[in-house]
Amino acid sequence: MTSPNDDRFDWSAAEADLTTPAAGGGPGAEVVDLDAVRDRRSPRAGSDGTHFDVVLDESPQPGGTLVDPPPVSAGPDGRRPIIPAQLANWVNIRATVRDAAGLVAYRAGYHAVRSPRYAVLAAFWASVGAARLAGRHIRWWWLAEQTGLRQRAADAGDWHAWQKLHREVKATRAWRGLVLVVEAVTVGVAGPLLWAAAPWWATAAVGGCAVAWLARIGRPADRPIITPATVSGRFRRVNPDIILRAYYAAGLGHPDKAHQQIGFGSTMARDPSGTGSQVSIDLPYGKTFDDAVKARGAIASGLDVAVSQVFITRDPSSHRRHTLWVADRDPLAQGAGRTPLLRCKATDIWQPAAFGLDERGGKVTVDLMWNSVLIGAQPRQGKTFAARLLALYAALDPYVKLTVLDGGGKPDWRKFALVADRYAFGLAMTRDGDPAEIVVEALREIKADVQDRYERLSKLPVDICPEGKLTREIARDPKYRMPVRMVVLDEFQEYFDLGEVSKEIAGLLVYLVKVAPAAGVIFVDATQRPSGVGAGQVAQQFISFRDNHQVRFSLRTGSWQVSDLVLGAGANSEGYDSSTLLPSYKGVGILRGASDATPTVRTYLADADDAEKILTAARKLREAAGTLSGMAAGEDVTRLTRDVLADVRAVIEPGETGAQWEEIAARLAARVPEAYADTTAEAISAQVRAFGVRSVDVKRSGKALKGAKADDIDAAIARRKAA
């Protein structure tokens, strides 16, 4: 019978029944005992062993997404194979024997190493067992349990009963004493005879059995002598009743109210990976997926499992339907293992990069082409390792041009000097130059390259560049000079907090993150301050830069608000909150935007030694391909760093006492476009004032604006020479 709550219920037919006269001339409706009908539909708790007033159908209810059925060994006809699959052929037999032999060998080795400890514990507990056994014999001989009876007879003044009990205890003690004497004589005689006459192996066997028996008597029940070499997994069994209990306890429905009952959109089943159970849940009308996400902790409590074992994913067919997956154990507590990049084989940037494993052990990859990746987290959660993993993948492709800019100056990135075309570590002056200047020049060069690429791609023939976009063939052909580029920025918030020069850096980064990915320039950016730094225009540009990433990876954050800043607006309402990740999870985060799914990923591990090994191999690949360039190839990049003071002094015309910053920027862009094409008045002002030149009012056409005096610039040049 179709329920009125069901979408298939025919309301027109029901109304017709109400208006059609019944046999006998009355209306078609009849008085119904609702309690009786409800009892027939849903037996009360205790009548059939269910906990709630809901029938759990054996077959799935309509709607929802069916889960994969649990694997069974029987065929379609329900018959199990006569010969088990493990013994079906020689290949399976050999594999089965090999696995069994390996397990036996492992257990033998495990216990052999611990055998001295076992012997000491057995001897100790055997001595305790001997004492306990002696005490049991004495209590058995003495018949201690009769003492209470004789005492009660004496207290009651029942002389005859006491006499009878006394005679019985004396007779019993005499008989049991004789048994103990015979036992002691037997042991005392048999022991020396066995020692003297029996072969050594018989003596050892009897002695071993005796020690084991006494140790079994002596040791406490919770103190085993031999510990198991393998431990069987134990997990909470989940069934429909338990799920209903959890959802009702979480306030997502009510078992006794109409239209407030939880339904199932699929059968309860083990997931294909065998690591948990999953089922499709239909919430009551009016309840949403967001309600289930907010009640995730209460659901975990109702299931009696940890929150980290409960995963709720949206069902696109209905906003009140979702899939519940309950893991047998915490799936994020185990690491994903070492990175497959340790094979040191050449990679292809046009193919997805191996990133880690999801909750169910499935491999997770990231398409880097045409994308920019934002990585955010609290300190020491694995943010840099995650960014470096993607950079290592790019490094093993010899046709990718790398720029590595680390605002934190950590050791994690130093070895990229082996392969990077441009690199800057930290903010302090180094032998390679001022890191801030290197960053500015690198970003200027990339911007010019991107603009040039768009122009050249638009002019290529259709048969070479069909869609006006960079292709793998074009990127790898040196005659086009358009290789795929990757720009890695770690702790990029530092570049937004450098004073005046940050204005130019911020403008360049915002432009590039918006425009460059479509030209084959990949950005991988990591920060521990996704909320932003700076003030005014720079702060706005920070937000614009942060929000223009397509792929987002958030490791543990301090709150759901910060999580939303990394994952993007609305992530929390969809059930994705990286602040719920445990502090013990290292390298674990939520990946959003890389695919239709939003998995929680355990990233592969590549530590400092692994990174050095991979980068050494990457350098050899680049040397073989002839693509090693820039600072990694030992090229002098100082030519890109202009003498700003001399350039500014040169554009101040003879007879002028000074020039406004806007004039200076325009003149520099016109005269030295290769270095100053994209410069701004603010950027030039910051660079010049860094040498102690004052920013003063300079009049032009009756209008006074900030600029620099020629005398101040000459003085700064003189001071530099004197130093």
PDB file of all heavy atoms in Angstrom, residues 644 646-651 662-677 679 684 688:
ATOM      1  N   VAL A 644      68.418  51.697  -9.244  1.00  0.00           N
ATOM      2  CA  VAL A 644      67.236  52.548  -9.223  1.00  0.00           C
ATOM      3  C   VAL A 644      67.610  54.012  -9.062  1.00  0.00           C
ATOM      4  O   VAL A 644      67.058  54.897  -9.743  1.00  0.00           O
ATOM      5  CB  VAL A 644      66.277  52.088  -8.099  1.00  0.00           C
ATOM      6  CG1 VAL A 644      65.069  53.013  -8.031  1.00  0.00           C
ATOM      7  CG2 VAL A 644      65.849  50.658  -8.326  1.00  0.00           C
ATOM      8  N   ALA A 646      70.373  55.559  -9.901  1.00  0.00           N
ATOM      9  CA  ALA A 646      70.953  56.104 -11.136  1.00  0.00           C
ATOM     10  C   ALA A 646      69.887  56.272 -12.212  1.00  0.00           C
ATOM     11  O   ALA A 646      69.895  57.270 -12.958  1.00  0.00           O
ATOM     12  CB  ALA A 646      72.071  55.186 -11.630  1.00  0.00           C
ATOM     13  N   ASP A 647      68.978  55.326 -12.303  1.00  0.00           N
ATOM     14  CA  ASP A 647      67.926  55.424 -13.314  1.00  0.00           C
ATOM     15  C   ASP A 647      67.012  56.614 -13.048  1.00  0.00           C
ATOM     16  O   ASP A 647      66.620  57.346 -13.978  1.00  0.00           O
ATOM     17  CB  ASP A 647      67.115  54.131 -13.348  1.00  0.00           C
ATOM     18  CG  ASP A 647      67.896  52.970 -13.940  1.00  0.00           C
ATOM     19  OD1 ASP A 647      68.914  53.209 -14.602  1.00  0.00           O
ATOM     20  OD2 ASP A 647      67.483  51.810 -13.713  1.00  0.00           O
ATOM     21  N   VAL A 648      66.659  56.819 -11.776  1.00  0.00           N
ATOM     22  CA  VAL A 648      65.773  57.939 -11.440  1.00  0.00           C
ATOM     23  C   VAL A 648      66.484  59.263 -11.686  1.00  0.00           C
ATOM     24  O   VAL A 648      65.895  60.224 -12.220  1.00  0.00           O
ATOM     25  CB  VAL A 648      65.294  57.812  -9.981  1.00  0.00           C
ATOM     26  CG1 VAL A 648      64.572  59.075  -9.542  1.00  0.00           C
ATOM     27  CG2 VAL A 648      64.396  56.601  -9.819  1.00  0.00           C
ATOM     28  N   ARG A 649      67.768  59.299 -11.320  1.00  0.00           N
ATOM     29  CA  ARG A 649      68.515  60.565 -11.548  1.00  0.00           C
ATOM     30  C   ARG A 649      68.625  60.869 -13.031  1.00  0.00           C
ATOM     31  O   ARG A 649      68.579  62.045 -13.450  1.00  0.00           O
ATOM     32  CB  ARG A 649      69.921  60.447 -10.937  1.00  0.00           C
ATOM     33  CG  ARG A 649      70.715  61.752 -11.012  1.00  0.00           C
ATOM     34  CD  ARG A 649      70.066  62.812 -10.168  1.00  0.00           C
ATOM     35  NE  ARG A 649      70.725  64.110 -10.277  1.00  0.00           N
ATOM     36  CZ  ARG A 649      70.460  65.037 -11.204  1.00  0.00           C
ATOM     37  NH1 ARG A 649      69.528  64.809 -12.129  1.00  0.00           N
ATOM     38  NH2 ARG A 649      71.087  66.200 -11.207  1.00  0.00           N
ATOM     39  N   ALA A 650      68.690  59.816 -13.841  1.00  0.00           N
ATOM     40  CA  ALA A 650      68.866  60.020 -15.275  1.00  0.00           C
ATOM     41  C   ALA A 650      67.618  60.585 -15.940  1.00  0.00           C
ATOM     42  O   ALA A 650      67.715  61.259 -16.974  1.00  0.00           O
ATOM     43  CB  ALA A 650      69.258  58.703 -15.942  1.00  0.00           C
ATOM     44  N   VAL A 651      66.435  60.295 -15.363  1.00  0.00           N
ATOM     45  CA  VAL A 651      65.208  60.782 -15.997  1.00  0.00           C
ATOM     46  C   VAL A 651      64.817  62.168 -15.513  1.00  0.00           C
ATOM     47  O   VAL A 651      63.833  62.738 -16.002  1.00  0.00           O
ATOM     48  CB  VAL A 651      64.035  59.795 -15.762  1.00  0.00           C
ATOM     49  CG1 VAL A 651      64.333  58.447 -16.379  1.00  0.00           C
ATOM     50  CG2 VAL A 651      63.709  59.672 -14.277  1.00  0.00           C
ATOM     51  N   GLU A 662      54.959  60.250 -10.132  1.00  0.00           N
ATOM     52  CA  GLU A 662      54.228  59.816 -11.320  1.00  0.00           C
ATOM     53  C   GLU A 662      55.014  60.122 -12.590  1.00  0.00           C
ATOM     54  O   GLU A 662      55.034  59.325 -13.531  1.00  0.00           O
ATOM     55  CB  GLU A 662      52.852  60.475 -11.356  1.00  0.00           C
ATOM     56  CG  GLU A 662      51.898  59.991 -10.265  1.00  0.00           C
ATOM     57  CD  GLU A 662      50.534  60.639 -10.390  1.00  0.00           C
ATOM     58  OE1 GLU A 662      50.372  61.513 -11.275  1.00  0.00           O
ATOM     59  OE2 GLU A 662      49.629  60.265  -9.603  1.00  0.00           O
ATOM     60  N   GLU A 663      55.674  61.275 -12.620  1.00  0.00           N
ATOM     61  CA  GLU A 663      56.514  61.618 -13.770  1.00  0.00           C
ATOM     62  C   GLU A 663      57.687  60.652 -13.881  1.00  0.00           C
ATOM     63  O   GLU A 663      58.019  60.185 -14.980  1.00  0.00           O
ATOM     64  CB  GLU A 663      57.057  63.046 -13.624  1.00  0.00           C
ATOM     65  CG  GLU A 663      56.029  64.145 -13.820  1.00  0.00           C
ATOM     66  CD  GLU A 663      56.644  65.525 -13.642  1.00  0.00           C
ATOM     67  OE1 GLU A 663      57.557  65.663 -12.797  1.00  0.00           O
ATOM     68  OE2 GLU A 663      56.232  66.444 -14.367  1.00  0.00           O
ATOM     69  N   ILE A 664      58.303  60.383 -12.747  1.00  0.00           N
ATOM     70  CA  ILE A 664      59.463  59.480 -12.751  1.00  0.00           C
ATOM     71  C   ILE A 664      59.067  58.098 -13.258  1.00  0.00           C
ATOM     72  O   ILE A 664      59.761  57.509 -14.096  1.00  0.00           O
ATOM     73  CB  ILE A 664      60.061  59.394 -11.336  1.00  0.00           C
ATOM     74  CG1 ILE A 664      60.654  60.752 -10.931  1.00  0.00           C
ATOM     75  CG2 ILE A 664      61.107  58.295 -11.263  1.00  0.00           C
ATOM     76  CD1 ILE A 664      61.108  60.823  -9.488  1.00  0.00           C
ATOM     77  N   ALA A 665      57.916  57.566 -12.770  1.00  0.00           N
ATOM     78  CA  ALA A 665      57.470  56.241 -13.195  1.00  0.00           C
ATOM     79  C   ALA A 665      57.174  56.217 -14.689  1.00  0.00           C
ATOM     80  O   ALA A 665      57.538  55.264 -15.401  1.00  0.00           O
ATOM     81  CB  ALA A 665      56.236  55.828 -12.401  1.00  0.00           C
ATOM     82  N   ALA A 666      56.534  57.235 -15.195  1.00  0.00           N
ATOM     83  CA  ALA A 666      56.204  57.284 -16.621  1.00  0.00           C
ATOM     84  C   ALA A 666      57.464  57.377 -17.477  1.00  0.00           C
ATOM     85  O   ALA A 666      57.580  56.726 -18.528  1.00  0.00           O
ATOM     86  CB  ALA A 666      55.276  58.461 -16.901  1.00  0.00           C
ATOM     87  N   ARG A 667      58.421  58.214 -17.068  1.00  0.00           N
ATOM     88  CA  ARG A 667      59.657  58.353 -17.835  1.00  0.00           C
ATOM     89  C   ARG A 667      60.467  57.060 -17.826  1.00  0.00           C
ATOM     90  O   ARG A 667      61.038  56.658 -18.860  1.00  0.00           O
ATOM     91  CB  ARG A 667      60.495  59.498 -17.262  1.00  0.00           C
ATOM     92  CG  ARG A 667      59.852  60.867 -17.458  1.00  0.00           C
ATOM     93  CD  ARG A 667      60.649  61.949 -16.748  1.00  0.00           C
ATOM     94  NE  ARG A 667      60.006  63.263 -16.857  1.00  0.00           N
ATOM     95  CZ  ARG A 667      60.490  64.373 -16.298  1.00  0.00           C
ATOM     96  NH1 ARG A 667      61.624  64.313 -15.585  1.00  0.00           N
ATOM     97  NH2 ARG A 667      59.851  65.525 -16.452  1.00  0.00           N
ATOM     98  N   LEU A 668      60.533  56.394 -16.665  1.00  0.00           N
ATOM     99  CA  LEU A 668      61.270  55.121 -16.594  1.00  0.00           C
ATOM    100  C   LEU A 668      60.627  54.069 -17.498  1.00  0.00           C
ATOM    101  O   LEU A 668      61.322  53.314 -18.182  1.00  0.00           O
ATOM    102  CB  LEU A 668      61.304  54.621 -15.148  1.00  0.00           C
ATOM    103  CG  LEU A 668      62.226  55.378 -14.191  1.00  0.00           C
ATOM    104  CD1 LEU A 668      62.008  54.882 -12.759  1.00  0.00           C
ATOM    105  CD2 LEU A 668      63.692  55.195 -14.593  1.00  0.00           C
ATOM    106  N   ALA A 669      59.293  53.994 -17.484  1.00  0.00           N
ATOM    107  CA  ALA A 669      58.601  53.009 -18.317  1.00  0.00           C
ATOM    108  C   ALA A 669      58.853  53.273 -19.794  1.00  0.00           C
ATOM    109  O   ALA A 669      58.934  52.331 -20.599  1.00  0.00           O
ATOM    110  CB  ALA A 669      57.104  53.030 -18.024  1.00  0.00           C
ATOM    111  N   ALA A 670      58.988  54.538 -20.161  1.00  0.00           N
ATOM    112  CA  ALA A 670      59.215  54.867 -21.566  1.00  0.00           C
ATOM    113  C   ALA A 670      60.661  54.618 -21.982  1.00  0.00           C
ATOM    114  O   ALA A 670      60.924  54.168 -23.101  1.00  0.00           O
ATOM    115  CB  ALA A 670      58.836  56.324 -21.822  1.00  0.00           C
ATOM    116  N   ARG A 671      61.612  54.922 -21.122  1.00  0.00           N
ATOM    117  CA  ARG A 671      63.024  54.831 -21.492  1.00  0.00           C
ATOM    118  C   ARG A 671      63.622  53.442 -21.233  1.00  0.00           C
ATOM    119  O   ARG A 671      64.504  53.010 -21.970  1.00  0.00           O
ATOM    120  CB  ARG A 671      63.830  55.894 -20.733  1.00  0.00           C
ATOM    121  CG  ARG A 671      63.420  57.316 -21.064  1.00  0.00           C
ATOM    122  CD  ARG A 671      64.302  58.321 -20.349  1.00  0.00           C
ATOM    123  NE  ARG A 671      63.820  59.689 -20.544  1.00  0.00           N
ATOM    124  CZ  ARG A 671      64.439  60.767 -20.073  1.00  0.00           C
ATOM    125  NH1 ARG A 671      65.590  60.632 -19.413  1.00  0.00           N
ATOM    126  NH2 ARG A 671      63.918  61.967 -20.280  1.00  0.00           N
ATOM    127  N   VAL A 672      63.176  52.772 -20.168  1.00  0.00           N
ATOM    128  CA  VAL A 672      63.722  51.442 -19.838  1.00  0.00           C
ATOM    129  C   VAL A 672      62.546  50.477 -19.667  1.00  0.00           C
ATOM    130  O   VAL A 672      62.255  50.006 -18.561  1.00  0.00           O
ATOM    131  CB  VAL A 672      64.577  51.490 -18.544  1.00  0.00           C
ATOM    132  CG1 VAL A 672      65.446  50.233 -18.441  1.00  0.00           C
ATOM    133  CG2 VAL A 672      65.445  52.735 -18.508  1.00  0.00           C
ATOM    134  N   PRO A 673      61.838  50.196 -20.725  1.00  0.00           N
ATOM    135  CA  PRO A 673      60.624  49.379 -20.581  1.00  0.00           C
ATOM    136  C   PRO A 673      60.897  47.950 -20.124  1.00  0.00           C
ATOM    137  O   PRO A 673      60.053  47.339 -19.479  1.00  0.00           O
ATOM    138  CB  PRO A 673      60.026  49.396 -21.990  1.00  0.00           C
ATOM    139  CG  PRO A 673      61.182  49.688 -22.901  1.00  0.00           C
ATOM    140  CD  PRO A 673      62.084  50.597 -22.121  1.00  0.00           C
ATOM    141  N   GLU A 674      62.081  47.408 -20.458  1.00  0.00           N
ATOM    142  CA  GLU A 674      62.361  46.026 -20.053  1.00  0.00           C
ATOM    143  C   GLU A 674      62.447  45.873 -18.547  1.00  0.00           C
ATOM    144  O   GLU A 674      62.282  44.781 -18.013  1.00  0.00           O
ATOM    145  CB  GLU A 674      63.666  45.540 -20.694  1.00  0.00           C
ATOM    146  CG  GLU A 674      64.929  46.246 -20.218  1.00  0.00           C
ATOM    147  CD  GLU A 674      65.214  47.538 -20.977  1.00  0.00           C
ATOM    148  OE1 GLU A 674      64.325  47.987 -21.737  1.00  0.00           O
ATOM    149  OE2 GLU A 674      66.307  48.094 -20.831  1.00  0.00           O
ATOM    150  N   ALA A 675      62.693  46.974 -17.841  1.00  0.00           N
ATOM    151  CA  ALA A 675      62.795  46.905 -16.385  1.00  0.00           C
ATOM    152  C   ALA A 675      61.652  47.598 -15.674  1.00  0.00           C
ATOM    153  O   ALA A 675      61.295  47.225 -14.554  1.00  0.00           O
ATOM    154  CB  ALA A 675      64.119  47.517 -15.918  1.00  0.00           C
ATOM    155  N   TYR A 676      61.059  48.634 -16.299  1.00  0.00           N
ATOM    156  CA  TYR A 676      60.086  49.457 -15.588  1.00  0.00           C
ATOM    157  C   TYR A 676      58.741  49.566 -16.308  1.00  0.00           C
ATOM    158  O   TYR A 676      57.968  50.485 -16.049  1.00  0.00           O
ATOM    159  CB  TYR A 676      60.647  50.867 -15.374  1.00  0.00           C
ATOM    160  CG  TYR A 676      61.910  50.908 -14.552  1.00  0.00           C
ATOM    161  CD1 TYR A 676      63.139  51.166 -15.155  1.00  0.00           C
ATOM    162  CD2 TYR A 676      61.867  50.682 -13.176  1.00  0.00           C
ATOM    163  CE1 TYR A 676      64.309  51.205 -14.403  1.00  0.00           C
ATOM    164  CE2 TYR A 676      63.040  50.718 -12.424  1.00  0.00           C
ATOM    165  CZ  TYR A 676      64.255  50.977 -13.041  1.00  0.00           C
ATOM    166  OH  TYR A 676      65.398  51.009 -12.293  1.00  0.00           O
ATOM    167  N   ALA A 677      58.450  48.630 -17.195  1.00  0.00           N
ATOM    168  CA  ALA A 677      57.202  48.738 -17.961  1.00  0.00           C
ATOM    169  C   ALA A 677      55.976  48.716 -17.058  1.00  0.00           C
ATOM    170  O   ALA A 677      54.973  49.382 -17.347  1.00  0.00           O
ATOM    171  CB  ALA A 677      57.115  47.606 -18.983  1.00  0.00           C
ATOM    172  N   THR A 679      56.014  49.403 -13.671  1.00  0.00           N
ATOM    173  CA  THR A 679      56.228  50.057 -12.391  1.00  0.00           C
ATOM    174  C   THR A 679      55.160  51.114 -12.123  1.00  0.00           C
ATOM    175  O   THR A 679      54.499  51.604 -13.048  1.00  0.00           O
ATOM    176  CB  THR A 679      57.626  50.690 -12.341  1.00  0.00           C
ATOM    177  OG1 THR A 679      57.942  51.045 -10.985  1.00  0.00           O
ATOM    178  CG2 THR A 679      57.682  51.937 -13.209  1.00  0.00           C
ATOM    179  N   ILE A 684      58.161  52.974  -7.246  1.00  0.00           N
ATOM    180  CA  ILE A 684      59.398  53.750  -7.390  1.00  0.00           C
ATOM    181  C   ILE A 684      59.672  54.546  -6.131  1.00  0.00           C
ATOM    182  O   ILE A 684      60.809  54.653  -5.655  1.00  0.00           O
ATOM    183  CB  ILE A 684      59.301  54.667  -8.624  1.00  0.00           C
ATOM    184  CG1 ILE A 684      59.406  53.833  -9.892  1.00  0.00           C
ATOM    185  CG2 ILE A 684      60.384  55.727  -8.601  1.00  0.00           C
ATOM    186  CD1 ILE A 684      60.743  53.138 -10.050  1.00  0.00           C
ATOM    187  N   VAL A 688      63.159  54.159  -3.938  1.00  0.00           N
ATOM    188  CA  VAL A 688      64.077  55.293  -3.796  1.00  0.00           C
ATOM    189  C   VAL A 688      64.176  55.725  -2.340  1.00  0.00           C
ATOM    190  O   VAL A 688      65.271  56.025  -1.828  1.00  0.00           O
ATOM    191  CB  VAL A 688      63.625  56.456  -4.698  1.00  0.00           C
ATOM    192  CG1 VAL A 688      64.474  57.700  -4.453  1.00  0.00           C
ATOM    193  CG2 VAL A 688      63.715  56.039  -6.158  1.00  0.00           C
TER     194      VAL A 688
END
